[in-house]
Structures are given as structure tokens and as C-alpha cells.
């Protein structure tokens, strides 16, 4: 057998073209063979078909038809998020252009752990993460000022539009202004993490970290740290005199190039811009957020979150050796600021509060401004898990639901949810890039001191991972191709589809609607059905491969969940989905199928 061709290099495109034809043909035949959103027959039937297609995994002699065979088999056995009746999870149908860009990332195979493995990709990542951080934390808002958007704050009548209910054309967001939570802090409260006066990686909470410099890749190197500029910090103080140079480097007094001019002993370090990191998704972003909080708070922090919080937060606390999280009950589905205030009052610090913008079960958004105010008053750090709801930022119509998002010290976003990217495309945004110092590592073969001093970017502080692919490419192509207006239109479409489906359910006498959607998730159930019947209806549809619905227990009862992320889903699809559920319920309960 001759040497198989490679995907990059001068001959790479020529080698890929016929293979791509095979893949595309197999995608088409596999989709036809499946015939619906899910393969029929359930787990045993799917497993049997896959075993038959694969045969011997590592044969003595290779099979030249393996590409076609296995792509067909995986496609036939796939859950297709682009099918309008596949609505179970936060599992979006990826855009074709993003998938095409991802092919280029795989073909070139850069690794973003050192500049010499991905020169262009590393610069692209730096540009995209900076732009998205600006979008999240203010400078990229539609009015371009960084100030609250003119229609973001109050509904008519003075009700805060924070995501409890969607704005409608008859109930527009108009005027109003929200005081930043920092101004609501009580006079005697100590500064919170992430605010001026927040703790650094090795500081006592409420004190300033000493001076240092911002290195390439966004890492803040404090004085006395490896690669830092000089003497160790004074406990409880500020890093002395100096000046802020172009590129973000703080040059202290007495350092090469410093001015020598004294600074006030109580003056804060110059503010740093926000930043962000590319991650594999919400789980990694949430773990990073807890790690950064732990380091910013001197090595220990306790997580406080609602019962509605994603399970990855508790897992992250366990992985990091943090105390058991304190869970605040959320009987209404969102974190109650009053209950949070009581919890923060009785707990010793340092504390990290995790709020949610888009719960997994129902797509609800916690009251972010009020939560931010409680955190500021108690000196607690704030993380917002916006893995689902973060995509609302792209929509002028729905962005107001995220009012208060930019008060958080760290924010999780998943662009493979409400961003239509192939898995995996996540983001962790940070209000202050100095928090990223905790991720800094030194490995001579990747970021030697003399290489960094000579100007080669240091990438190890951009992730907990070493080898990592350029997932930023597909995202950058999407952002550049569609722009804010194009992405916003997709967000608006799926939110409108969810409202349409909720209205359909609400008007049907055979169904109960849990609540009108905040984002694009609709919970419903056959009226009067027992929980075991609801579960059986869902499993029957899965086994038949006719529809894919999720499940949730927001109030102790079992509800069917439709998470509508497909912008091409139309009214006929919604009607068909509801009819399938009605027919399945009638078959199980009454023994007949309705006309």
C-alpha cells in the first residue's frame, strides 16, 4: 500500500477533493437511510447496525471503502439537530460555512500551545477573543459607547427587563437607566473581587496586588513572580510608582525606562481591559471561572449558586478541592436576590456567586442586576454562566434580557448553542485580564523566557490545555460573514419560533404549557398525564425515531422539553411535533390514535 496522502501542504487540497466527494455522498445516503431525526429501533438496534458496518476495527489489511462505509453508518445512526423534530437539547444545527471553516482547521492542524505551531491562528484567536470581550463588557454595544443601550433598561411602567418575561412589540423596552451595582455597595463593604481593590493572585482579599506588566497573550506578571520585573510586593500595599506604557505594560519606579515619579500609596493599578479565552464549552469555562476565583481570592473560595445552576459548577468545585457549594433554593426557577442576600450575610468569605443566564431546563435568566448589587454589597465575586443565553448579545431585540451581564468578573458563553457552531466552541470572558495570571506556566520548549523577551507570544496562559486546535477559525468566519445583524436575525428567529410553539401548545386543550419562553425553550406536557406516561411518550418517540424531545422537572413534575435552535423550523413542523406527542399519548393511554 502506498503512503496515504496528507491533508495540508502543496498536494493537500488535491488529495482532499475526491475524499470530500465521498464524505458528502455518504452524508446524503446516510441521512436518507435514517429517514427522520433519530435512527429507529432504540439503542440495541443502533448498536447492532454499527457493529455490522464496522466489522473488525483493526483488520490485518485495510479497507479502501472505510471512509464511505463509516461516514454512512455514523450519519444513519446520528441525531440530526438540523431536523425540525430534533429539539431535545442545547444541540444546535451548525452553519455550513462554520463547518467548512472547521475543515480547514483540521486540514492545517495547528496547535495553539506555542506560536511556532500556529502563527496565524494564534493571532486570529487574539483578535477574536479581544473583540468578543469588548462585545460582552460594553465597548462593542450597538451604540458604540460602552454605556447602557438606550432601550436596554426599563420596560414601560418601570419594570426591569431582565429576562423574566420576553419583551414584545406591544411591550417595548423604553428608556430608563440602571445604576451600576458598584454604586449600590454599602459604604462599609469591602471591595469585591474583580473591582478596584480586588485581591490579586496572592493578595489578601480587599487589598491591591503589586505592580507588574502585561505580557503577550494577556498574562499579568507581577513583581517578584517568574519573569516579573523586580522586588516582591509590599503586603497590603500597591506596587509603588510607575507609568502605563503602550501595549499595557506597567513600568514601576526604578525599573528600566520608568519615570521614578512617586505614586500615592493608595492609588490602584491602572485598569486593565477585559479579555476572553476560547474553551471547549460551558463545562471548561465554568471550571476556569472557579479556578480564577480561587486564585484571585488567595487560594480559597466558596461557591454560592442557585439550585438551578448547571451541574458543571459543582463538579468544578469538587475537582478544584473547594468546599461543598452552598445551593440557594430556586422555587420559581431563578435565583432570588433576597434569598441570596440572606445566604451571603451568614457565610464567611471569600465567596463566589454563580448566576445563570439561560437555565438548561427552561431557559430562564436570573435577575442579574439585583444579584450583582448583592455581590457588590457583600464583597463577593460574581460569575455568570451564560452558556445558553449569551447568544442574545447579538440581537438588538433580545440583548436587554442580559442587562447586568457585564457586571460579572467572569462569564461563560457557548457558541455551539445559540451561535450555530460545530462542537466545540466555548468562551470564558474576564472583566480584568490580570485574573488570567493564574494560568501562566513555563515550559522551555514552548515559551522560554528568552523567546518571550524576544517577542514570541506566550500562549500557555491562554488555556488549561496544552495541545489545542484552532476552534476560533470557524467562529471568526461566522462572525465576519454574518455580522451582528446576521447572527441577531438567527437569534430572533429561534426565539420567535419558540413563542409560536408555546402559543400552539397553550391553545391546544390536550396540553399544558409550563410558561411562555424566555429564550427558545418550551416546556409542555399532555394535560392530566401522569409522570410515567409523559416519560413513556418521550421514549416511544425516541425508539420510533420520529421526534427527539428532552425532559425537565422544574416544579417536581415531569415536562417534555422542546429546545428550538433551528432557524429553518416552520409552523408546519411545530404542528407535526405537537400531533406526534398527542398521538403517542393517546396510543399509550387510550389504546387508539386520534384522527
Amino acid at each position: 500500500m502506498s503512503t496515504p496522502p496528507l491533508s495540508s501542504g502543496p498536494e493537500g487540497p488535491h488529495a482532499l477533493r475526491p475524499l470530500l466527494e465521498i464524505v458528502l455522498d455518504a452524508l446524503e445516503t446516510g441521512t436518507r437511510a435514517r429517514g427522520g431525526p433519530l435512527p429507529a429501533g432504540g439503542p440495541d438496534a443502533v448498536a447492532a447496525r454499527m457493529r455490522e458496518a464496522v466489522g473488525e476495527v483493526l483488520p490485518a489489511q485495510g479497507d479502501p471503502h472505510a471512509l464511505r462505509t463509516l461516514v454512512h453508518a455514523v450519519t444513519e445512526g446520528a441525531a440530526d439537530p438540523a431536523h425540525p423534530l430534533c429539539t431535545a437539547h442545547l444541540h444546535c444545527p451548525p452553519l455550513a460555512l462554520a463547518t467548512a471553516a472547521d475543515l480547514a482547521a483540521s486540514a492545517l492542524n495547528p496547535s495553539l500551545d506555542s506560536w511556532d505551531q500556529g502563527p496565524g491562528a494564534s493571532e486570529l484567536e487574539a483578535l477574536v477573543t479581544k473583540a468578543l470581550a469588548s462585545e460582552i463588557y460594553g465597548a462593542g454595544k450597538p451604540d458604540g459607547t460602552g454605556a447602557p443601550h438606550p432601550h436596554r433598561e426599563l420596560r414601560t411602567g418601570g419594570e426591569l427587563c431582565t429576562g423574566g418575561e420576553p419583551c414584545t412589540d406591544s411591550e417595548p423596552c423604553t428608556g430608563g437607566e440602571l445604576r451600576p451595582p458598584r454604586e449600590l455597595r454599602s459604604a462599609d463593604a469591602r471591595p469585591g473581587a474583580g473591582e478596584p481593590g480586588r485581591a490579586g493572585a496572592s493578595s489578601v482579599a480587599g487589598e491591591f496586588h503589586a505592580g507588574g506588566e502585561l505580557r503577550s497573550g494577556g498574562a499579568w506578571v507581577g513583581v517578584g513572580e517568574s519573569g516579573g520585573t523586580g522586588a516582591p510586593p509590599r503586603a497590603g500595599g500597591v506596587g509603588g510608582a510607575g507609568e502605563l506604557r503602550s501595549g499595557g505594560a506597567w513600568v514601576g519606579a526604578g525599573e528600566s525606562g520608568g519615570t521614578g515619579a512617586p505614586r500615592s500609596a493608595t492609588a490602584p493599578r491602572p485598569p486593565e481591559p477585559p479579555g476572553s479565552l476560547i474553551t471547549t464549552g460551558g463545562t471548561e469555562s465554568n471550571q476556569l471561572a472557579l479556578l480564577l476565583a480561587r486564585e484571585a481570592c488567595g487560594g480559597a473560595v466558596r461557591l454560592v449558586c442557585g439550585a438551578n445552576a448547571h451541574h458543571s459548577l459543582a463538579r468544578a468545585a469538587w475537582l478544584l478541592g473547594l468546599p461543598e457549594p452552598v445551593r440557594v433554593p430556586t422555587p420559581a426557577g431563578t435565583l432570588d436576590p433576597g434569598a441570596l442576600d440572606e445566604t451571603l450575610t451568614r457565610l464567611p468569605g471569600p465567596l463566589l456567586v454563580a448566576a445563570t443566564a439561560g437555565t438548561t431546563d427552561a431557559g430562564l435568566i436570573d435577575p442579574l442586576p439585583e444579584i450583582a448589587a448583592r455581590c457588590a454589597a457583600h464583597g463577593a465575586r460574581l460569575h455568570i454562566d451564560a452558556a445558553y443565553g449569551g447568544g442574545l448579545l447579538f440581537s438588538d431585540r433580545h440583548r436587554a434580557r442580559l442587562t447586568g451581564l457585564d457586571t460579572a468578573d467572569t462569564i461563560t458563553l457557548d457558541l455551539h448553542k445559540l451561535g450555530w457552531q460545530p462542537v466545540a466552541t466555548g468562551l470564558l470572558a474576564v472583566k480584568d485580564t490580570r485574573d488570567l495570571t493564574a494560568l501562566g506556566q513555563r515550559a522551555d520548549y514552548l515559551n522560554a523566557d528568552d523567546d518571550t523577551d524576544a517577542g514570541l507570544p506566550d500562549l500557555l496562559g491562554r488555556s488549561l490545555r496544552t495541545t489545542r486546535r484552532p476552534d476560533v477559525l470557524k467562529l471568526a468566519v461566522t462572525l465576519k460573514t454574518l455580522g451582528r445583524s446576521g447572527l441577531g436575525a438567527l437569534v430572533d428567529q429561534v426565539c420567535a419560533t419558540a413563542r409560536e410553539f408555546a402559543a400552539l401548545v397553550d391553545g391546544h386543550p390536550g396540553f399544558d404549557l409550563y410558561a411562555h419562553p424566555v429564550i427558545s425553550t418550551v416546556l409542555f406536557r399532555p394535560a392530566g398525564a401522569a409522570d410515567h406516561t409523559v416519560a413513556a411518550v418521550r421514549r416511544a418517540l425516541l425508539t420510533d425515531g420520529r421526534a427527539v424531545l428532552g425532559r425537565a422537572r422544574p416544579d417536581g413534575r415531569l415536562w417534555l422539553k422542546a429546545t428550538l435552535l433551528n432557524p429553518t423550523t416552520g409552523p408546519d413542523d411545530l404542528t407535526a411535533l405537537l400531533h406526534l406527542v398527542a398521538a403517542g399519548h393517546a396510543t399509550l393511554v387510550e389504546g387508539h390514535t386520534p384522527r
Side-chain angles (χ1 to χ4, degrees):
M1 181 179 180
S2 61
T3 301
L6 303 179
S7 65
S8 60
E11 300 302 318
H14 177 73
L16 281 171
R17 281 191 178 94
L19 298 175
L20 290 178
E21 286 295 329
I22 293 172
V23 168
L24 295 174
D25 286 345
L27 286 171
E28 187 175 356
T29 59
T31 299
R32 285 201 305 267
R34 185 184 349 104
L38 201 72
D44 290 342
V46 172
R49 289 194 291 269
M50 185 59 68
R51 285 194 297 268
E52 181 181 0
V54 173
E56 191 175 358
V57 173
L58 185 62
Q61 299 296 323
D63 177 2
H65 303 295
L67 178 63
R68 184 184 302 275
T69 300
L70 295 184
V71 172
H72 174 99
V74 169
T75 304
E76 182 182 4
D80 185 2
H83 195 289
L85 301 184
C86 188
T87 65
H89 301 287
L90 289 164
H91 178 199
C92 75
L95 296 171
L97 65 93
T99 304
D102 215 20
L103 168 65
S106 293
L108 294 169
N109 205 32
S111 180
L112 300 186
D113 49 325
S114 66
W115 182 85
D116 56 358
Q117 297 179 80
S122 62
E123 179 61 22
L124 179 64
E125 184 180 76
L127 293 170
V128 171
T129 52
K130 179 180 179 181
L132 288 176
S134 179
E135 181 76 17
I136 293 163
Y137 279 107
K141 291 172 185 174
D143 60 7
T145 65
H149 194 281
H151 68 268
R152 292 185 61 193
E153 308 303 335
L154 296 174
R155 282 198 186 151
T156 305
E159 181 185 355
L160 272 171
C161 182
T162 60
E165 291 184 22
C167 295
T168 63
D169 290 334
S170 61
E171 192 179 26
C173 295
T174 59
E177 185 174 354
L178 181 70
R179 285 189 68 174
R182 199 167 290 169
E183 297 180 19
L184 300 176
R185 184 170 61 217
S186 59
D188 59 346
R190 62 182 176 86
E195 300 180 306
R198 69 118 177 98
S202 59
S203 303
V204 178
E207 297 175 351
F208 298 115
H209 194 282
E213 58 182 308
L214 186 67
R215 286 287 180 88
S216 59
W220 176 267
V221 182
V223 295
E225 299 175 23
S226 176
T229 54
R234 295 192 300 273
V238 183
E243 59 180 311
L244 184 66
R245 287 290 180 84
S246 61
W250 176 261
V251 182
E255 297 174 21
S256 176
T259 63
R263 296 173 66 217
S264 166
T266 59
R269 266 188 319 187
E272 293 294 335
S276 66
L277 304 176
I278 298 292
T279 70
T280 56
T283 295
E284 183 186 350
S285 295
N286 284 342
Q287 182 179 350
L288 274 171
L290 264 68
L291 172 62
L292 297 181
R294 185 189 72 181
E295 297 306 297
C297 294
V301 71
R302 190 163 194 184
L303 174 65
V304 178
C305 60
N308 62 344
H310 194 265
H311 66 85
S312 63
L313 285 161
R315 177 183 287 182
W318 167 69
L319 284 169
L320 294 169
L322 300 178
E324 183 73 17
V326 177
R327 295 183 181 272
V328 180
T330 54
T334 55
L335 184 56
D336 176 64
L340 174 64
D341 190 72
E342 294 175 4
T343 302
L344 296 179
T345 299
R346 64 179 173 81
L347 290 175
L351 300 172
L352 168 67
V353 173
T356 304
T359 59
T360 303
D361 276 357
L364 304 180
I365 299 175
D366 288 339
L368 304 181
E370 293 87 344
I371 290 171
R374 298 317 195 274
C375 290
H378 290 276
R381 189 177 171 95
L382 176 60
H383 171 65
I384 297 178
D385 180 357
Y388 177 15
L392 298 177
L393 284 169
F394 299 117
S395 166
D396 287 345
R397 176 180 175 82
H398 298 291
R399 185 176 183 137
R401 301 182 193 183
L402 297 180
T403 296
L405 183 72
D406 55 3
T407 62
D409 297 285
T410 50
I411 300 167
T412 288
L413 277 85
D414 261 9
L415 281 307
H416 57 238
K417 290 183 171 65
L418 210 59
W420 296 277
Q421 298 298 293
V423 173
T425 317
L427 195 80
L428 178 73
V430 295
K431 181 186 290 185
D432 188 332
T433 52
R434 288 172 292 199
D435 283 349
L436 300 178
T437 303
L439 301 180
Q441 291 289 322
R442 183 66 62 191
D444 192 68
Y445 75 104
L446 294 174
N447 63 346
D449 285 336
D450 58 320
D451 278 348
T452 303
D453 291 341
L456 292 182
D458 177 357
L459 305 182
L460 277 187
R462 303 291 297 170
S463 178
L464 288 177
R465 294 168 285 145
T466 305
T467 301
R468 58 188 181 95
R469 70 193 307 272
D471 288 316
V472 70
L473 177 57
K474 58 197 172 189
L475 177 57
V477 168
T478 302
L479 297 173
K480 183 71 173 175
T481 303
L482 299 186
R484 185 186 288 109
S485 62
L487 280 167
L490 294 177
V491 172
D492 293 347
Q493 180 59 47
V494 296
C495 290
T497 300
R499 293 195 299 271
E500 185 175 355
F501 185 58
L504 196 64
V505 171
D506 204 23
H508 195 298
F511 289 96
D512 292 332
L513 176 68
Y514 177 71
H516 287 279
V518 173
I519 307 177
S520 66
T521 298
V522 179
L523 301 184
F524 66 107
R525 52 182 283 139
D531 281 359
H532 65 85
T533 301
V534 175
V537 168
R538 174 179 172 270
R539 286 193 292 269
L541 292 172
L542 292 177
T543 301
D544 292 343
R546 292 183 294 169
V548 190
L549 287 164
R551 53 184 287 162
R553 290 185 180 273
D555 59 357
R557 294 182 296 166
L558 184 63
W559 294 80
L560 299 173
K561 179 173 69 169
T563 307
L564 298 155
L565 295 178
N566 187 341
T568 69
T569 298
D572 291 344
D573 301 316
L574 302 176
T575 300
L577 178 59
L578 205 58
H579 180 78
L580 282 172
V581 177
H585 177 243
T587 300
L588 286 170
V589 175
E590 302 172 14
H592 72 276
T593 301
R595 290 177 294 177

